[in-house]
Amino acid sequence: MALVLSLKQGDVFNVGIRRFRIDDVISSELVILHELGQAKHQVSQGSVQTVGSDVSFQLSDKSSDATCRLMIYAPDTLPIWRRDAPSKADVSILAPVPLEHLTSALETVDHVGRVAFGTRAWKVFDEVDAVRKGQQVTVYIYPSHSQFSGMPKVRWMANYVQQVDGRAGKHPKGLDYRPESTHGSLEEQQNPRYWEVTDLRPLAPEHYLGMDRFKGLDTKKPYLATFRPEGPTRVEPL
């Protein structure tokens, strides 16, 4: 499959779970492409640049000095998407994450393109993986262990991309994909599974979501406004 995206410096996109950013548009014939957490690559019009075993890039001759038209070659099984035009899935996730780890995770996402949170609720993510058909899934995040007053609300969002098994309780990449706030905690480094997200971002106050906006896939009615999720759960998309 080949797809062409119009991109400018700083734009990011995914090929499957791999996150890429245009670091620099040097000219209409050359850009610097950065796979976050991995290497940088020069992509030109003259040749196809292969990154890994199954993804390749080339510049279209319709690129300009400000905007590149990037040709992406990947198997049909790998979804290609950007945050401003996400693929839709028929399930979403509502999850609590300690506020300390959310704020720390922003730097992790900026450096390596994603962040991993530990979980023992691996069955929830197994169920999500069984129906999403490789597409991204929206995660609505309630910041737990915070001092916010009033009704609980979703104040953060992200895109779930995959879960991975822990190795002796640790993430396979060690601490690379973990928020720095978890690095000194033995408990936070001992999890059977880790779920990874991209595009983690706080919401503006006017976009906070009350819990009564959400309905679980196994519930007949929406949650009460006072509902506080104790772990990740599948919900109907908004």
Side-chain angles (χ1 to χ4, degrees), residues 22-130:
I22 301 296
D23 269 6
D24 192 9
V25 179
I26 297 175
S27 70
S28 62
E29 298 181 354
L30 181 65
V31 301
I32 304 300
L33 179 68
H34 184 191
E35 181 175 0
L36 298 184
Q38 304 295 329
K40 295 184 180 182
H41 304 273
Q42 293 186 358
V43 179
S44 66
Q45 291 184 15
S47 61
V48 176
Q49 174 69 52
T50 300
V51 179
S53 61
D54 53 3
V55 180
S56 301
F57 301 95
Q58 186 176 12
L59 282 187
S60 165
D61 58 8
K62 296 182 180 180
S63 298
S64 70
D65 290 342
T67 301
C68 69
R69 289 179 57 82
L70 187 67
M71 302 170 65
I72 306 170
Y73 303 92
D76 292 341
T77 54
L78 293 180
I80 300 171
W81 49 270
R82 299 172 61 181
R83 188 168 77 184
D84 57 354
S87 303
K88 293 183 178 179
D90 56 4
V91 64
S92 295
I93 298 170
L94 176 65
V97 176
L99 178 61
E100 176 189 14
H101 300 333
L102 288 170
T103 54
S104 176
L106 288 175
E107 185 174 355
T108 307
V109 173
D110 185 56
H111 285 169
V112 298
R114 72 185 75 172
V115 67
F117 299 114
T119 186
R120 289 173 173 78
W122 53 268
K123 289 185 178 180
V124 172
F125 295 98
D126 281 350
E127 292 166 352
V128 170
D129 290 342

